[in-house]
Amino acid sequence: MSLNTPVVLLGALCIFGGLLNVKGSYEKDFLTAHNKYRRIHRAPPMRLDSSMTRQARAYAQRLARMGSLQHSSSSERPGQGENLAMACGSGGLSAQRAVAMWYEEVCKFNFDYPEQSRGAGHFTQIVWKNSVALGVGVAHSGRCTYVVGRYRPAGNRRGQLKKNVAKGSFDKSHCGG
């Protein structure tokens, strides 16, 4: 699966262009998308946490007011990891699309030597085995949609990649090469 939309990664993910409309229960769709990818990598299913979702929603609204992406401080989200996405265009940003963009980093991940992988932190946070609680916030400003994913406990701990990120049934043909 390849993305037809230009993607820029700067610690958080920004995309611009025509995207899918946000429909239905954003939180449910966000959780479903995460658990679909987690099954591939033999990670236990996540569950939505209402407190984390409220916090993520408040932070997404803050990002929308700022008009840019910036990770929250660790003191604002103790023990939680965070993925951010922003899309500007006519269609918004669906939960499935936000998670799929983060997951695409799997193509940069080296399952044999995980500590040598660079640029795959969004992917590894999605499938991090020990992260089991999930929060999501979405906010809109003009033609832009801001998405905040929160994960507890936080993933992406050095020295723990091999233990927490499994190849599972992942097929490299997903990456188109």
Side-chain angles (χ1 to χ4, degrees):
M1 179 172 145
S2 66
L3 297 174
N4 293 327
T5 307
V7 175
V8 177
L9 291 169
L10 299 170
L13 186 59
C14 302
I15 65 161
F16 299 91
L19 299 170
L20 303 173
N21 287 319
V22 175
K23 300 177 186 172
S25 167
Y26 205 91
E27 293 85 1
K28 180 178 177 261
D29 292 346
F30 196 76
L31 176 66
T32 299
H34 274 77
N35 285 334
K36 174 182 89 170
Y37 293 123
R38 290 174 68 82
R39 271 190 302 279
I40 293 168
H41 297 276
R42 288 191 235 126
M46 299 191 93
R47 62 171 175 73
L48 280 174
D49 181 285
S50 58
S51 175
M52 289 172 62
T53 292
R54 278 191 302 279
Q55 293 166 8
R57 187 178 307 121
Y59 193 66
Q61 292 166 349
R62 184 169 148 197
L63 293 175
R65 285 190 302 275
M66 290 180 355
S68 64
L69 293 181
Q70 176 180 321
H71 280 288
S72 62
S73 68
S74 57
S75 64
E76 292 176 278
R77 53 181 168 88
Q80 297 176 21
E82 179 174 74
N83 279 351
L84 305 176
M86 176 182 117
C88 296
S90 61
L93 180 59
S94 73
Q96 297 93 332
R97 181 72 173 138
V99 178
M101 289 185 311
W102 293 327
Y103 183 78
E104 285 302 313
E105 293 177 2
V106 67
C107 298
K108 299 176 183 177
F109 191 77
N110 184 330
F111 288 97
D112 295 323
Y113 302 100
E115 299 295 335
Q116 295 177 9
S117 299
R118 299 288 177 259
H122 298 101
F123 154 69
T124 54
Q125 179 60 84
I126 289 171
V127 302
W128 195 265
K129 286 181 181 180
N130 282 347
S131 295
V132 293
L134 180 67
V136 58
V138 61
H140 306 277
S141 178
R143 294 175 42 129
C144 296
T145 303
Y146 298 81
V147 179
V148 175
R150 296 271 176 92
Y151 307 83
R152 189 179 65 225
N156 294 333
R157 301 288 182 219
R158 276 220 140 341
Q160 297 181 20
L161 280 161
K162 195 94 163 153
K163 182 174 93 174
N164 281 282
V165 180
K167 183 174 183 179
S169 62
F170 175 72
D171 182 350
K172 192 74 171 175
S173 68
H174 169 89
C175 301

